[in-house]
Amino acid sequence: MKKKYIAVLLCALLFCGLMGCASTEAPQNSANGSASLLQEATNWFESQTSKYEILSAEAINDSAIFLTGTKNPGTDEYQLLQVFIVDKTDNSFEVSAWKDAERGLAAGFSVHVLATDSLTVVFGDTFDSILDFINDKRIDVAFTEARIVFADGESETRSITGNTPYVFVFDGVRAVKDVEFISGDLTIKYSDFFSEDLMEASETLDTADLFN
């Protein structure tokens, strides 16, 4: 009876190991690590400058990505958007790439890309109406999703909040071909409004003396 019990126990342990039920700490540790990285990077970034207001942030690998905005004196609206990639090396931080971009008030949305050798960042904003340039009028919209279309034919759909800046971060180098914004049955494509290739101006701006 004892030998039978041991055999059953060994089988149970083997099955559990094969199914991966013995490892529940790694995701938690990963989440804690990302939260810690974001907090440290945020503290460092805010100690360097007060010019850029952080609107959202996320961590990927050993980098923190900040979507920020800047305002003209005496105004409440953000005039420009920026995205910063802040890398952690040992116990120090540095901005490895960044991009400054205009908002999309006239068209009703904007799309910008910052690409490095390890990350691809898509960012911009949406508004509550878009320009119908054929009929020269504005159409009310409430965007809820954005579909990022890549040059290799793949695509990813992300949820967004309308009338709000957004940022999407992709691991690795991804050539962005188009971005589609979805409001109910209406789909608005970047390529229907703009002829510029999104990847043509995707390189980083100069990071030297950025905060001086």
Side-chain angles (χ1 to χ4, degrees):
M1 183 68 179
K2 185 175 181 180
K3 291 182 179 179
K4 183 178 180 181
Y5 172 79
I6 292 175
V8 171
L9 180 60
L10 288 174
C11 289
L13 289 173
L14 179 60
F15 177 80
C16 188
L18 290 173
M19 295 300 294
C21 59
S23 178
T24 58
E25 295 183 0
Q28 184 65 37
N29 290 340
S30 177
N32 290 340
S34 296
S36 176
L37 172 63
L38 271 184
Q39 187 60 60
E40 292 177 18
T42 299
N43 292 342
W44 175 84
F45 186 86
E46 291 179 340
S47 72
Q48 302 299 308
T49 180
S50 59
K51 178 180 179 180
Y52 306 102
E53 182 176 338
I54 296 176
L55 306 179
S56 66
E58 65 179 278
I60 181 169
N61 302 327
D62 290 323
S63 300
I65 290 80
F66 295 125
L67 175 66
T68 68
T70 52
K71 301 176 181 177
N72 287 336
T75 64
D76 294 328
E77 294 293 327
Y78 296 105
Q79 303 302 312
L80 297 172
L81 298 175
Q82 303 82 28
V83 70
F84 293 87
I85 298 177
V86 177
D87 294 340
K88 181 178 183 181
T89 305
D90 297 326
N91 292 319
S92 63
F93 290 91
E94 67 175 2
V95 174
S96 62
W98 79 293
K99 188 178 179 71
D100 201 35
E102 294 183 354
R103 303 192 66 190
L105 180 58
F109 66 91
S110 67
V111 181
H112 309 282
V113 177
L114 173 61
T116 71
D117 57 1
S118 59
L119 294 174
T120 303
V121 183
V122 180
F123 71 104
D125 58 357
T126 63
F127 292 85
D128 55 11
S129 68
I130 61 165
L131 175 63
D132 179 355
F133 51 84
I134 295 178
N135 298 304
D136 193 24
K137 65 178 183 178
R138 300 197 71 84
I139 301 174
D140 292 336
V141 292
F143 293 121
T144 57
E145 292 181 324
R147 182 181 298 115
I148 300 87
V149 181
F150 300 102
D152 60 7
E154 295 184 356
S155 66
E156 291 194 27
T157 301
R158 302 284 183 91
S159 297
I160 61 172
T161 300
N163 208 25
T164 306
Y166 65 85
V167 61
F168 311 127
V169 183
F170 302 95
D171 196 6
V173 180
R174 307 292 303 273
V176 180
K177 181 180 180 181
D178 207 350
V179 176
E180 303 172 355
F181 296 96
I182 300 168
S183 173
D185 295 331
L186 182 66
T187 298
I188 302 299
K189 297 181 179 182
Y190 167 88
S191 59
D192 288 339
F193 283 70
F194 304 98
S195 59
E196 293 83 0
D197 188 323
L198 284 167
M199 300 305 294
E200 283 185 0
S202 61
E203 68 279 358
T204 180
L205 297 177
D206 189 5
T207 61
D209 301 322
L210 177 59
F211 299 132
N212 294 335

